[in-house]
Amino acid sequence: MPIYEYACEAGHDFEVRQSFHDDPISRCPRCDRPSRRVYRPAPVIYKGSGFYTTDYARKQPSVGANSGASSSSSSASTPSSSSDD
């Protein structure tokens, strides 16, 4: 069962363990003034790689990929130079 945090108009803060199906508490148990449920963002912790853009920037191409790119560029320049003749 989750614990919900409440705050009343007088400034009292209190927590109540309630079921998901229970209605929210409308009155403060200390001063009997109207109260409201306080919502806070849940903390999120990212573990592992792949969650940041800097993780992708560190990857460097392999040596085989560089040599293949240079050989394809040299073969591309060879037909163009022969067509200039």
Side-chain angles (χ1 to χ4, degrees), residues 40-79:
R40 301 199 189 274
V44 178
I45 300 172
Y46 294 107
K47 294 185 178 182
S49 63
F51 292 104
Y52 302 100
T53 57
T54 56
D55 289 343
Y56 298 108
R58 291 185 205 158
K59 294 182 182 177
Q60 297 177 358
S62 63
V63 176
N66 287 341
S67 62
S70 62
S71 65
S72 64
S73 65
S74 64
S75 63
S77 63
T78 306

